[in-house]
Structures are given as C-alpha cells and as structure tokens.
Amino acid sequence: MKILDDGVRTAITDFCMIFSKRLQGLRRYSECLELAGNQLPQLLLDRSLMTTLVEHIAAGADYPDVRVPTLFDNELLLYQEQSRLFSLRMYLWGPGEYTAPHDHNSWGVIGTVTAGFEVINYRREDDGSREGYARLAAQPAIQLQAGQTASTLPLNDGIHKTGNPGGETIITLSIYGRPLSRGYLQGFNVATARVYRILSPKRKKIALACQALQGLERAEGSRG
Ligand SMILES: [Fe+2]
C-alpha cells in the first residue's frame, strides 16, 4: 500500500474536527443542513485538495482507502466521527451513471466538485400502508454547479436519485448525519411502484446465506 503526502488526511481531519464541534448541540435537521450546506463548499472548491485526494485513490494510497466497505461501489469514506455523529464521503460518477431512486437513514448534504451533478427528488404519494409498494412523483431535476449543494432528509422525506448526465467523470462529497438503526436503505422502482431493500455487500451476503439455509432446511424436511 502506497503512502503519499499525508497532508491530505490532516486537511480533511482538521475540517471534520471543526465541523464536529459546530454540529454538536444542534438538534433540528434544518440547523444541521444549514451548517453542512455552509461548510461543505470550503472542501468542494478546494481544487488542489480534491485533486490530491483523487490522485491518492488512483494510486492506491492508504488514504482514502478503497478497501473500506461502503454501501455503494462508487463511494469512499473520508471521515467517520467516532460516535457516528456524522460522516464525510466522496463519490465518483462515470458518464451517465445514476443511482436508483432511494431513501436515506439520516439527514445529508450533497455537494459537487465538478459542475453538472444532477439531483432528482421524489414526493411519495401513497400512505406507505402497503408492504413493498410506493407511488412516487418526480420533481424537476436540479443540476448543481461546482461548489453547490443540495440536501436530503431521512426516510420518505428524502427520496431522491442522483447522477451524472454528462460525458466527464464527476466528483461529489456528502456529509451525512447520525444514521437511524434500520440497517438498510430502500430502493424504489418508480415504473412498477415496487420497494426493495438496498443492503451493504456484507449484510447482503449474510441475508442471502440465511435465505439459503432456510432453503436447505426446507429441502431436508421434505426429504425426511
Ligand atoms: Fe442518496
């Protein structure tokens, strides 16, 4: 594992220590979003720091560490506050790459280093009473310029899809608040109104193993 200039880790840690002090004591989502929305552009517009971070990733350096497990395969953990108060994450988006519509377990502020990042928010129109079903209405797409941010909220109040409509790879940063203990996100198929769970690779393997065990036990039972 290559160790490049460690100043990049220090710069991110310094930002996060200051952010952490300011965030502690804030209770309302609106206050957290305002703080993160005001602070994140400081990193987004630091071209030299962002370039160095991406150089580190490209070179397989020890920070940011591509081996740290994340929910999405284009995601890198830059900082996790010890008590899980917040985390800072980088995302890399190839041309035309989008998430599926999904919700979150926390408040979040999403900002772009590179112009043209797209955010599409959805309003949930059903009452949530039918298991595995959700009717969503897409709101007009928002395209962010370099240094601009958008915000999200937990569960049904923050359903969105994000991605890169352009031809160049985009770099974004997100700050997420303390997560609810649900252990998964919900993904939404807008066309079929189907809701499904998005699990981390680790949780997915465990869930599939449990299902496979149940299948083996059923097969054993029908034989005996
Ligand atoms: Fe998201």
Side-chain angles (χ1 to χ4, degrees):
M1 189 62 53
K2 291 174 194 162
I3 299 173
L4 303 182
D5 171 24
D6 204 40
V8 67
R9 190 200 296 264
T10 307
I12 294 293
T13 305
D14 288 351
F15 171 89
C16 288
M17 300 287 269
I18 293 167
F19 182 76
S20 183
K21 282 204 185 96
R22 292 179 176 163
L23 185 64
Q24 278 166 24
L26 299 188
R27 290 288 169 265
R28 291 201 183 110
Y29 287 147
S30 58
E31 294 172 327
C32 301
L33 294 176
E34 188 182 353
L35 176 69
N38 285 336
Q39 298 296 303
L40 193 57
Q42 197 182 309
L43 293 180
L44 299 170
L45 296 170
D46 189 336
R47 182 66 50 164
S48 149
L49 179 60
M50 292 301 112
T51 304
T52 312
L53 269 172
V54 177
E55 278 173 356
H56 277 217
I57 298 164
D62 67 337
Y63 180 84
D65 190 344
V66 292
R67 298 166 304 175
V68 173
T70 52
L71 188 59
F72 296 106
D73 61 6
N74 65 334
E75 176 180 2
L76 292 116
L77 182 66
L78 299 185
Y79 186 89
Q80 173 74 68
E81 199 275 339
Q82 278 180 357
S83 73
R84 306 203 73 192
L85 179 66
F86 75 95
S87 62
L88 172 67
R89 292 157 194 274
M90 174 179 275
Y91 297 82
L92 299 168
W93 309 83
E97 289 183 353
Y98 279 81
T99 65
H102 61 277
D103 66 9
H104 278 273
N105 288 325
S106 66
W107 62 263
V109 168
I110 306 156
T112 191
V113 174
T114 327
F117 186 61
E118 192 166 81
V119 179
I120 300 164
N121 291 311
Y122 292 85
R123 194 178 61 241
R124 185 157 183 177
E125 297 200 315
D126 65 302
D127 64 7
S129 60
R130 218 170 117 189
E131 183 71 24
Y133 172 89
R135 206 173 59 245
L136 301 183
Q139 308 301 297
I142 303 161
Q143 285 211 359
L144 301 179
Q145 296 309 305
Q148 284 187 326
T149 63
S151 61
T152 189
L153 288 168
L155 308 179
N156 286 333
D157 292 330
I159 300 171
H160 66 188
K161 162 182 169 173
T162 53
N164 176 7
E168 302 284 338
T169 296
I170 278 181
I171 307 159
T172 65
L173 298 179
S174 292
I175 295 178
Y176 294 110
R178 190 186 299 287
L180 304 172
S181 59
R182 189 169 56 157
Y184 60 89
L185 301 185
Q186 288 199 126
F188 300 86
N189 184 320
V190 178
T192 63
R194 192 174 72 85
V195 182
Y196 57 93
R197 288 185 180 185
I198 302 171
L199 298 169
S200 68
K202 178 178 145 193
R203 282 181 190 268
K204 185 165 184 179
K205 284 169 197 162
I206 293 169
L208 286 170
C210 291
Q211 289 168 25
L213 274 177
Q214 286 166 4
L216 288 171
E217 282 164 12
R218 274 196 298 274
E220 194 66 29
S222 65
R223 217 180 294 145

PDB file of all heavy atoms in Angstrom, residues 88-116:
ATOM      1  N   LEU A  88     -18.214  11.915   6.377  1.00  0.00           N
ATOM      2  CA  LEU A  88     -17.919  12.644   5.139  1.00  0.00           C
ATOM      3  C   LEU A  88     -17.509  11.609   4.102  1.00  0.00           C
ATOM      4  O   LEU A  88     -16.636  10.772   4.370  1.00  0.00           O
ATOM      5  CB  LEU A  88     -16.788  13.648   5.381  1.00  0.00           C
ATOM      6  CG  LEU A  88     -16.220  14.353   4.148  1.00  0.00           C
ATOM      7  CD1 LEU A  88     -17.256  15.287   3.517  1.00  0.00           C
ATOM      8  CD2 LEU A  88     -14.968  15.161   4.526  1.00  0.00           C
ATOM      9  N   ARG A  89     -18.168  11.633   2.941  1.00  0.00           N
ATOM     10  CA  ARG A  89     -17.935  10.614   1.916  1.00  0.00           C
ATOM     11  C   ARG A  89     -17.691  11.253   0.550  1.00  0.00           C
ATOM     12  O   ARG A  89     -18.260  12.291   0.246  1.00  0.00           O
ATOM     13  CB  ARG A  89     -19.145   9.671   1.819  1.00  0.00           C
ATOM     14  CG  ARG A  89     -19.286   8.820   3.076  1.00  0.00           C
ATOM     15  CD  ARG A  89     -20.688   8.289   3.298  1.00  0.00           C
ATOM     16  NE  ARG A  89     -20.793   7.786   4.662  1.00  0.00           N
ATOM     17  CZ  ARG A  89     -20.448   6.561   5.052  1.00  0.00           C
ATOM     18  NH1 ARG A  89     -20.036   5.673   4.146  1.00  0.00           N
ATOM     19  NH2 ARG A  89     -20.539   6.188   6.302  1.00  0.00           N
ATOM     20  N   MET A  90     -16.855  10.601  -0.239  1.00  0.00           N
ATOM     21  CA  MET A  90     -16.645  11.027  -1.629  1.00  0.00           C
ATOM     22  C   MET A  90     -17.320  10.015  -2.546  1.00  0.00           C
ATOM     23  O   MET A  90     -17.329   8.819  -2.248  1.00  0.00           O
ATOM     24  CB  MET A  90     -15.148  11.093  -1.956  1.00  0.00           C
ATOM     25  CG  MET A  90     -14.874  11.388  -3.427  1.00  0.00           C
ATOM     26  SD  MET A  90     -13.103  11.502  -3.801  1.00  0.00           S
ATOM     27  CE  MET A  90     -12.795  13.207  -3.384  1.00  0.00           C
ATOM     28  N   TYR A  91     -17.883  10.512  -3.647  1.00  0.00           N
ATOM     29  CA  TYR A  91     -18.483   9.647  -4.670  1.00  0.00           C
ATOM     30  C   TYR A  91     -17.905  10.031  -6.022  1.00  0.00           C
ATOM     31  O   TYR A  91     -17.701  11.214  -6.302  1.00  0.00           O
ATOM     32  CB  TYR A  91     -20.008   9.814  -4.698  1.00  0.00           C
ATOM     33  CG  TYR A  91     -20.679   9.403  -3.401  1.00  0.00           C
ATOM     34  CD1 TYR A  91     -20.727  10.276  -2.317  1.00  0.00           C
ATOM     35  CD2 TYR A  91     -21.228   8.131  -3.253  1.00  0.00           C
ATOM     36  CE1 TYR A  91     -21.314   9.903  -1.122  1.00  0.00           C
ATOM     37  CE2 TYR A  91     -21.821   7.748  -2.056  1.00  0.00           C
ATOM     38  CZ  TYR A  91     -21.861   8.638  -1.004  1.00  0.00           C
ATOM     39  OH  TYR A  91     -22.436   8.261   0.187  1.00  0.00           O
ATOM     40  N   LEU A  92     -17.655   9.029  -6.845  1.00  0.00           N
ATOM     41  CA  LEU A  92     -17.158   9.249  -8.212  1.00  0.00           C
ATOM     42  C   LEU A  92     -18.203   8.702  -9.175  1.00  0.00           C
ATOM     43  O   LEU A  92     -18.688   7.579  -8.999  1.00  0.00           O
ATOM     44  CB  LEU A  92     -15.816   8.532  -8.393  1.00  0.00           C
ATOM     45  CG  LEU A  92     -14.706   9.016  -7.453  1.00  0.00           C
ATOM     46  CD1 LEU A  92     -13.508   8.074  -7.485  1.00  0.00           C
ATOM     47  CD2 LEU A  92     -14.267  10.432  -7.807  1.00  0.00           C
ATOM     48  N   TRP A  93     -18.580   9.514 -10.164  1.00  0.00           N
ATOM     49  CA  TRP A  93     -19.692   9.182 -11.064  1.00  0.00           C
ATOM     50  C   TRP A  93     -19.196   9.195 -12.496  1.00  0.00           C
ATOM     51  O   TRP A  93     -18.851  10.253 -13.021  1.00  0.00           O
ATOM     52  CB  TRP A  93     -20.807  10.209 -10.923  1.00  0.00           C
ATOM     53  CG  TRP A  93     -21.245  10.459  -9.507  1.00  0.00           C
ATOM     54  CD1 TRP A  93     -20.652  11.294  -8.601  1.00  0.00           C
ATOM     55  CD2 TRP A  93     -22.349   9.865  -8.828  1.00  0.00           C
ATOM     56  NE1 TRP A  93     -21.340  11.244  -7.409  1.00  0.00           N
ATOM     57  CE2 TRP A  93     -22.378  10.389  -7.515  1.00  0.00           C
ATOM     58  CE3 TRP A  93     -23.342   8.944  -9.226  1.00  0.00           C
ATOM     59  CZ2 TRP A  93     -23.350  10.009  -6.588  1.00  0.00           C
ATOM     60  CZ3 TRP A  93     -24.304   8.582  -8.310  1.00  0.00           C
ATOM     61  CH2 TRP A  93     -24.296   9.106  -7.005  1.00  0.00           C
ATOM     62  N   GLY A  94     -19.173   8.036 -13.135  1.00  0.00           N
ATOM     63  CA  GLY A  94     -18.813   7.972 -14.546  1.00  0.00           C
ATOM     64  C   GLY A  94     -19.917   8.580 -15.402  1.00  0.00           C
ATOM     65  O   GLY A  94     -21.035   8.799 -14.926  1.00  0.00           O
ATOM     66  N   PRO A  95     -19.609   8.868 -16.696  1.00  0.00           N
ATOM     67  CA  PRO A  95     -20.613   9.450 -17.593  1.00  0.00           C
ATOM     68  C   PRO A  95     -21.895   8.601 -17.601  1.00  0.00           C
ATOM     69  O   PRO A  95     -21.833   7.390 -17.758  1.00  0.00           O
ATOM     70  CB  PRO A  95     -19.927   9.400 -18.960  1.00  0.00           C
ATOM     71  CG  PRO A  95     -18.467   9.421 -18.638  1.00  0.00           C
ATOM     72  CD  PRO A  95     -18.317   8.670 -17.347  1.00  0.00           C
ATOM     73  N   GLY A  96     -23.032   9.265 -17.395  1.00  0.00           N
ATOM     74  CA  GLY A  96     -24.323   8.582 -17.468  1.00  0.00           C
ATOM     75  C   GLY A  96     -24.682   7.730 -16.263  1.00  0.00           C
ATOM     76  O   GLY A  96     -25.735   7.099 -16.257  1.00  0.00           O
ATOM     77  N   GLU A  97     -23.838   7.712 -15.242  1.00  0.00           N
ATOM     78  CA  GLU A  97     -24.129   6.850 -14.080  1.00  0.00           C
ATOM     79  C   GLU A  97     -25.060   7.546 -13.084  1.00  0.00           C
ATOM     80  O   GLU A  97     -24.815   8.690 -12.690  1.00  0.00           O
ATOM     81  CB  GLU A  97     -22.829   6.439 -13.382  1.00  0.00           C
ATOM     82  CG  GLU A  97     -22.035   5.449 -14.205  1.00  0.00           C
ATOM     83  CD  GLU A  97     -20.772   4.947 -13.519  1.00  0.00           C
ATOM     84  OE1 GLU A  97     -20.413   5.462 -12.439  1.00  0.00           O
ATOM     85  OE2 GLU A  97     -20.127   4.058 -14.100  1.00  0.00           O
ATOM     86  N   TYR A  98     -26.099   6.822 -12.679  1.00  0.00           N
ATOM     87  CA  TYR A  98     -27.083   7.322 -11.711  1.00  0.00           C
ATOM     88  C   TYR A  98     -27.347   6.257 -10.650  1.00  0.00           C
ATOM     89  O   TYR A  98     -27.209   5.061 -10.928  1.00  0.00           O
ATOM     90  CB  TYR A  98     -28.424   7.589 -12.408  1.00  0.00           C
ATOM     91  CG  TYR A  98     -28.498   8.900 -13.136  1.00  0.00           C
ATOM     92  CD1 TYR A  98     -27.956   9.029 -14.411  1.00  0.00           C
ATOM     93  CD2 TYR A  98     -29.123   9.999 -12.567  1.00  0.00           C
ATOM     94  CE1 TYR A  98     -28.020  10.236 -15.099  1.00  0.00           C
ATOM     95  CE2 TYR A  98     -29.192  11.203 -13.245  1.00  0.00           C
ATOM     96  CZ  TYR A  98     -28.638  11.319 -14.508  1.00  0.00           C
ATOM     97  OH  TYR A  98     -28.706  12.505 -15.166  1.00  0.00           O
ATOM     98  N   THR A  99     -27.761   6.688  -9.487  1.00  0.00           N
ATOM     99  CA  THR A  99     -28.321   5.739  -8.525  1.00  0.00           C
ATOM    100  C   THR A  99     -29.748   5.422  -8.965  1.00  0.00           C
ATOM    101  O   THR A  99     -30.339   6.157  -9.758  1.00  0.00           O
ATOM    102  CB  THR A  99     -28.412   6.349  -7.105  1.00  0.00           C
ATOM    103  OG1 THR A  99     -29.352   7.445  -7.138  1.00  0.00           O
ATOM    104  CG2 THR A  99     -27.067   6.848  -6.619  1.00  0.00           C
ATOM    105  N   ALA A 100     -30.321   4.374  -8.392  1.00  0.00           N
ATOM    106  CA  ALA A 100     -31.774   4.193  -8.463  1.00  0.00           C
ATOM    107  C   ALA A 100     -32.385   5.163  -7.449  1.00  0.00           C
ATOM    108  O   ALA A 100     -31.692   5.601  -6.527  1.00  0.00           O
ATOM    109  CB  ALA A 100     -32.113   2.758  -8.103  1.00  0.00           C
ATOM    110  N   PRO A 101     -33.668   5.505  -7.591  1.00  0.00           N
ATOM    111  CA  PRO A 101     -34.303   6.296  -6.531  1.00  0.00           C
ATOM    112  C   PRO A 101     -34.185   5.545  -5.199  1.00  0.00           C
ATOM    113  O   PRO A 101     -34.411   4.340  -5.150  1.00  0.00           O
ATOM    114  CB  PRO A 101     -35.762   6.394  -6.992  1.00  0.00           C
ATOM    115  CG  PRO A 101     -35.688   6.252  -8.483  1.00  0.00           C
ATOM    116  CD  PRO A 101     -34.573   5.274  -8.726  1.00  0.00           C
ATOM    117  N   HIS A 102     -33.794   6.263  -4.145  1.00  0.00           N
ATOM    118  CA  HIS A 102     -33.582   5.616  -2.839  1.00  0.00           C
ATOM    119  C   HIS A 102     -33.845   6.612  -1.719  1.00  0.00           C
ATOM    120  O   HIS A 102     -33.877   7.822  -1.944  1.00  0.00           O
ATOM    121  CB  HIS A 102     -32.140   5.085  -2.739  1.00  0.00           C
ATOM    122  CG  HIS A 102     -31.112   6.165  -2.848  1.00  0.00           C
ATOM    123  ND1 HIS A 102     -30.674   6.659  -4.058  1.00  0.00           N
ATOM    124  CD2 HIS A 102     -30.438   6.872  -1.900  1.00  0.00           C
ATOM    125  CE1 HIS A 102     -29.778   7.602  -3.863  1.00  0.00           C
ATOM    126  NE2 HIS A 102     -29.615   7.766  -2.547  1.00  0.00           N
ATOM    127  N   ASP A 103     -34.004   6.077  -0.516  1.00  0.00           N
ATOM    128  CA  ASP A 103     -34.116   6.957   0.645  1.00  0.00           C
ATOM    129  C   ASP A 103     -32.820   6.906   1.447  1.00  0.00           C
ATOM    130  O   ASP A 103     -31.860   6.235   1.038  1.00  0.00           O
ATOM    131  CB  ASP A 103     -35.344   6.611   1.501  1.00  0.00           C
ATOM    132  CG  ASP A 103     -35.244   5.242   2.154  1.00  0.00           C
ATOM    133  OD1 ASP A 103     -34.164   4.613   2.109  1.00  0.00           O
ATOM    134  OD2 ASP A 103     -36.259   4.799   2.724  1.00  0.00           O
ATOM    135  N   HIS A 104     -32.776   7.628   2.565  1.00  0.00           N
ATOM    136  CA  HIS A 104     -31.602   7.642   3.436  1.00  0.00           C
ATOM    137  C   HIS A 104     -32.020   7.438   4.878  1.00  0.00           C
ATOM    138  O   HIS A 104     -33.182   7.626   5.224  1.00  0.00           O
ATOM    139  CB  HIS A 104     -30.842   8.972   3.297  1.00  0.00           C
ATOM    140  CG  HIS A 104     -29.946   9.000   2.108  1.00  0.00           C
ATOM    141  ND1 HIS A 104     -28.658   8.529   2.129  1.00  0.00           N
ATOM    142  CD2 HIS A 104     -30.163   9.426   0.837  1.00  0.00           C
ATOM    143  CE1 HIS A 104     -28.120   8.664   0.930  1.00  0.00           C
ATOM    144  NE2 HIS A 104     -29.012   9.205   0.116  1.00  0.00           N
ATOM    145  N   ASN A 105     -31.063   7.074   5.710  1.00  0.00           N
ATOM    146  CA  ASN A 105     -31.323   6.892   7.139  1.00  0.00           C
ATOM    147  C   ASN A 105     -30.948   8.109   7.961  1.00  0.00           C
ATOM    148  O   ASN A 105     -30.954   8.054   9.189  1.00  0.00           O
ATOM    149  CB  ASN A 105     -30.532   5.681   7.660  1.00  0.00           C
ATOM    150  CG  ASN A 105     -31.134   4.393   7.152  1.00  0.00           C
ATOM    151  OD1 ASN A 105     -32.355   4.289   7.005  1.00  0.00           O
ATOM    152  ND2 ASN A 105     -30.295   3.410   6.868  1.00  0.00           N
ATOM    153  N   SER A 106     -30.575   9.195   7.304  1.00  0.00           N
ATOM    154  CA  SER A 106     -30.121  10.381   8.045  1.00  0.00           C
ATOM    155  C   SER A 106     -30.333  11.627   7.189  1.00  0.00           C
ATOM    156  O   SER A 106     -30.610  11.512   5.995  1.00  0.00           O
ATOM    157  CB  SER A 106     -28.626  10.249   8.362  1.00  0.00           C
ATOM    158  OG  SER A 106     -27.900  10.288   7.148  1.00  0.00           O
ATOM    159  N   TRP A 107     -30.135  12.780   7.830  1.00  0.00           N
ATOM    160  CA  TRP A 107     -30.071  13.999   7.021  1.00  0.00           C
ATOM    161  C   TRP A 107     -28.758  13.973   6.225  1.00  0.00           C
ATOM    162  O   TRP A 107     -27.801  13.280   6.622  1.00  0.00           O
ATOM    163  CB  TRP A 107     -30.175  15.265   7.897  1.00  0.00           C
ATOM    164  CG  TRP A 107     -29.080  15.443   8.913  1.00  0.00           C
ATOM    165  CD1 TRP A 107     -29.148  15.104  10.234  1.00  0.00           C
ATOM    166  CD2 TRP A 107     -27.772  16.000   8.693  1.00  0.00           C
ATOM    167  NE1 TRP A 107     -27.954  15.393  10.848  1.00  0.00           N
ATOM    168  CE2 TRP A 107     -27.084  15.948   9.932  1.00  0.00           C
ATOM    169  CE3 TRP A 107     -27.102  16.511   7.603  1.00  0.00           C
ATOM    170  CZ2 TRP A 107     -25.774  16.407  10.093  1.00  0.00           C
ATOM    171  CZ3 TRP A 107     -25.791  16.965   7.752  1.00  0.00           C
ATOM    172  CH2 TRP A 107     -25.149  16.912   8.982  1.00  0.00           C
ATOM    173  N   GLY A 108     -28.718  14.701   5.137  1.00  0.00           N
ATOM    174  CA  GLY A 108     -27.488  14.725   4.361  1.00  0.00           C
ATOM    175  C   GLY A 108     -27.381  15.973   3.509  1.00  0.00           C
ATOM    176  O   GLY A 108     -28.392  16.566   3.121  1.00  0.00           O
ATOM    177  N   VAL A 109     -26.147  16.383   3.273  1.00  0.00           N
ATOM    178  CA  VAL A 109     -25.879  17.476   2.327  1.00  0.00           C
ATOM    179  C   VAL A 109     -24.941  16.928   1.264  1.00  0.00           C
ATOM    180  O   VAL A 109     -23.901  16.332   1.574  1.00  0.00           O
ATOM    181  CB  VAL A 109     -25.290  18.713   3.033  1.00  0.00           C
ATOM    182  CG1 VAL A 109     -24.739  19.707   2.017  1.00  0.00           C
ATOM    183  CG2 VAL A 109     -26.365  19.385   3.878  1.00  0.00           C
ATOM    184  N   ILE A 110     -25.363  17.088   0.013  1.00  0.00           N
ATOM    185  CA  ILE A 110     -24.659  16.533  -1.146  1.00  0.00           C
ATOM    186  C   ILE A 110     -24.112  17.721  -1.929  1.00  0.00           C
ATOM    187  O   ILE A 110     -24.874  18.637  -2.231  1.00  0.00           O
ATOM    188  CB  ILE A 110     -25.680  15.809  -2.051  1.00  0.00           C
ATOM    189  CG1 ILE A 110     -26.480  14.777  -1.263  1.00  0.00           C
ATOM    190  CG2 ILE A 110     -25.046  15.219  -3.277  1.00  0.00           C
ATOM    191  CD1 ILE A 110     -27.840  14.482  -1.906  1.00  0.00           C
ATOM    192  N   GLY A 111     -22.818  17.711  -2.232  1.00  0.00           N
ATOM    193  CA  GLY A 111     -22.274  18.837  -2.990  1.00  0.00           C
ATOM    194  C   GLY A 111     -21.340  18.346  -4.077  1.00  0.00           C
ATOM    195  O   GLY A 111     -20.790  17.241  -3.983  1.00  0.00           O
ATOM    196  N   THR A 112     -21.168  19.153  -5.092  1.00  0.00           N
ATOM    197  CA  THR A 112     -20.334  18.701  -6.208  1.00  0.00           C
ATOM    198  C   THR A 112     -19.068  19.537  -6.379  1.00  0.00           C
ATOM    199  O   THR A 112     -19.074  20.756  -6.219  1.00  0.00           O
ATOM    200  CB  THR A 112     -21.156  18.624  -7.518  1.00  0.00           C
ATOM    201  OG1 THR A 112     -20.378  17.958  -8.489  1.00  0.00           O
ATOM    202  CG2 THR A 112     -21.568  19.992  -8.023  1.00  0.00           C
ATOM    203  N   VAL A 113     -17.987  18.817  -6.692  1.00  0.00           N
ATOM    204  CA  VAL A 113     -16.701  19.430  -7.009  1.00  0.00           C
ATOM    205  C   VAL A 113     -16.729  19.844  -8.486  1.00  0.00           C
ATOM    206  O   VAL A 113     -16.180  20.869  -8.873  1.00  0.00           O
ATOM    207  CB  VAL A 113     -15.563  18.407  -6.754  1.00  0.00           C
ATOM    208  CG1 VAL A 113     -14.208  18.947  -7.205  1.00  0.00           C
ATOM    209  CG2 VAL A 113     -15.529  17.996  -5.275  1.00  0.00           C
ATOM    210  N   THR A 114     -17.381  18.994  -9.284  1.00  0.00           N
ATOM    211  CA  THR A 114     -17.411  19.152 -10.737  1.00  0.00           C
ATOM    212  C   THR A 114     -18.816  19.584 -11.144  1.00  0.00           C
ATOM    213  O   THR A 114     -19.796  19.009 -10.662  1.00  0.00           O
ATOM    214  CB  THR A 114     -17.114  17.783 -11.395  1.00  0.00           C
ATOM    215  OG1 THR A 114     -16.207  17.050 -10.580  1.00  0.00           O
ATOM    216  CG2 THR A 114     -16.560  17.935 -12.786  1.00  0.00           C
ATOM    217  N   ALA A 115     -18.946  20.571 -12.025  1.00  0.00           N
ATOM    218  CA  ALA A 115     -20.270  21.062 -12.433  1.00  0.00           C
ATOM    219  C   ALA A 115     -21.074  19.983 -13.143  1.00  0.00           C
ATOM    220  O   ALA A 115     -20.507  19.104 -13.791  1.00  0.00           O
ATOM    221  CB  ALA A 115     -20.098  22.268 -13.349  1.00  0.00           C
ATOM    222  N   GLY A 116     -22.405  20.067 -12.995  1.00  0.00           N
ATOM    223  CA  GLY A 116     -23.293  19.220 -13.790  1.00  0.00           C
ATOM    224  C   GLY A 116     -23.892  18.043 -13.053  1.00  0.00           C
ATOM    225  O   GLY A 116     -24.613  17.240 -13.648  1.00  0.00           O
TER     226      GLY A 116
END
